[in-house]
Amino acid sequence: MTEDVLEPYRGQLTGYCYRMLGSAFEAEDAVQETMIRAWRGLDRFEGRSALRSWLYRIATNVCLTMLENRKRRARPMDLTAPGSPDHLPSAPLAETTWVEPVPDALLDPADLAEARESVRLAFVAALQHLPPRQRAVLILREVLSWRASEVAELLGTTVPSVNSALQRARATLAGLPDTAPRRLTPDDENLLARYLEAFEAYDLDALTALLHEEATLSMPPFDLWLRGTGHIRAWLTGHGAGCRGSRLIPTRANGSAAFGQYRPGGEPWALQIIETRDGKVTAINAFLEVKRWFPLFGLPLALSSAA
């Protein structure tokens, strides 16, 4: 057996580690460490258990170690009350504060097709409320559909302990907003095409007509966020007016539509991740640290006027 047998698992392990850690960069680091440990132990593996189970055991241990003594990652909505479009953001917060986006391209296509909703920003943020071992149990049981006996073996515990942890995790998530699974529909795809057209034209009548009345706009690394079509429109005509004339380049993140936003002149400005429900845009998540995000998503750090 050679290390080549490990590579097909990279995408699904990345999805698992991302749900555990809330960061694409940390997930990549965790998977790389998992692969190194597995490669070093291949000659001792000898098929004592399924290769997939063995890799997930290693990845879980790596993630649990990384999560020791660490504050949970969050979204701006988890930290403060909604702000006012009249106020500018305060100082940016450290990157370790935030649940970060992940490119769909890093994830296993089959995993993404089966459990797309489980990598949504809101769901990943909700997972961060769980203690790490409960988080692992819920992901393995509810997202990846492992049997309780498999999870117990992986974690070195008992089936009753796994079932108890799962019940506690479910109860915690039930008390949090916006964790229900959703699937992208053809109507959503049409909605996103209209969003792109309205944003690039900076037609705020058309744009706000696409927003849910309780839609949110967030801008990590700042904790300021806005709720409601009136406040979002006021921001876009006030402090955010520099977005007029922007170009949006489509990409995919967290199982959702996303856009690289470039201001006039080709300046990279934000990675927008758009969430939808019932034919409306419910959230515009604008990640502003473009030098961090654009290379990860394969987006250029400048856009020529001819592009």
Side-chain angles (χ1 to χ4, degrees), residues 263-275:
R263 283 187 165 185
E267 174 194 5
W269 187 251
L271 175 71
Q272 292 189 15
I273 301 177
I274 309 300
E275 298 179 41

Side-chain angles (χ1 to χ4, degrees), residues 262 265-268 294 299-305 307:
Y262 296 81
E267 174 194 5
F294 277 31
L299 294 165
L301 285 173
L303 198 63
S304 70
S305 58

Side-chain angles (χ1 to χ4, degrees), residues 163-214:
N163 290 336
S164 176
L166 180 59
Q167 289 178 349
R168 294 195 302 274
R170 285 172 173 167
T172 298
L173 293 192
L176 299 174
D178 197 29
T179 60
R182 300 176 193 141
R183 293 193 180 275
L184 202 63
T185 68
D187 287 342
D188 289 323
E189 296 287 4
N190 178 264
L191 171 66
L192 293 164
R194 288 185 287 144
Y195 172 87
L196 185 154
E197 181 180 358
F199 197 97
E200 288 194 334
Y202 223 63
D203 183 342
L204 296 186
D205 288 336
L207 184 62
T208 53
L210 301 177
L211 302 181
H212 188 279
E213 62 181 6
E214 291 295 308

Side-chain angles (χ1 to χ4, degrees), residues 1 16 29 40 80 84 97-98 104 128 132 142 162 183 189 201 212 220 235 245 292 307:
M1 186 181 294
Y16 175 62
D29 289 344
R40 289 173 176 167
T80 65
S84 164
T97 304
W98 308 113
D104 283 10
Q128 309 310 302
E142 300 275 89
V162 166
R183 293 193 180 275
E189 296 287 4
H212 188 279
W235 176 268
R292 180 172 171 81

